[in-house]
Amino acid sequence: MEYASSTIPASREAIRRALLDARALPEWNEAFVSVDGPATPAVGTPYKLKVRPRFTGELKYTVIEPDRVEFVWEVPGFHETASWMIGPDGEVTHAFSQSGPLATVLRPAYRGIAAVRLGRLTNRLTQLARAA
């Protein structure tokens, strides 16, 4: 399991909104090419997913709570379970675990990615705040 924590200069609600905007995940998660599905997420609702290099699969939210968001995504040979714990002062802990034959091959490339994802989420929230 990979994990990292960081303080993001945004409200808990802004962080939560960014995590629940599934169709915008590719704007800050480099692995995702596109996510297609409903604008309003619900636990268990499937989203069509395209990831690099050219895999298609599915993403589903498994937990949507004020202080926690979790989802799973998978493509042939790869499954990831991701969690985001959101503290009251912008402290976010991101953890994920991966399985499948493709995950085994890619494991070295995913070392440190939890911290990278937190940095990209921070940048995305900064961009949204500037645009508002």
Side-chain angles (χ1 to χ4, degrees), residues 4-17 19 65-69 83-95 118 121 125:
S5 293
S6 181
T7 299
I8 297 176
S11 69
R12 176 185 275 175
E13 187 54 33
I15 295 165
R16 188 173 175 276
R17 272 195 314 269
L19 293 169
E65 296 177 355
D67 63 348
R68 185 169 61 130
V69 173
S83 69
W84 305 82
M85 299 295 294
I86 311 163
D89 298 320
E91 187 168 324
V92 180
T93 299
H94 170 46
L118 286 170
L121 176 59
L125 286 162

Side-chain angles (χ1 to χ4, degrees), residues 15-65:
I15 295 165
R16 188 173 175 276
R17 272 195 314 269
L19 293 169
L20 294 175
D21 188 356
R23 297 181 302 182
L25 290 174
E27 294 178 22
W28 60 271
N29 187 322
E30 193 174 84
F32 298 159
V33 173
S34 67
V35 180
D36 187 31
T40 303
V43 170
T45 299
Y47 287 81
K48 291 181 183 177
L49 176 67
K50 290 183 184 175
V51 301
R52 297 184 200 294
R54 291 187 183 153
F55 292 109
T56 59
E58 189 173 86
L59 180 145
K60 287 183 186 178
Y61 287 95
T62 56
V63 176
I64 298 174
E65 296 177 355

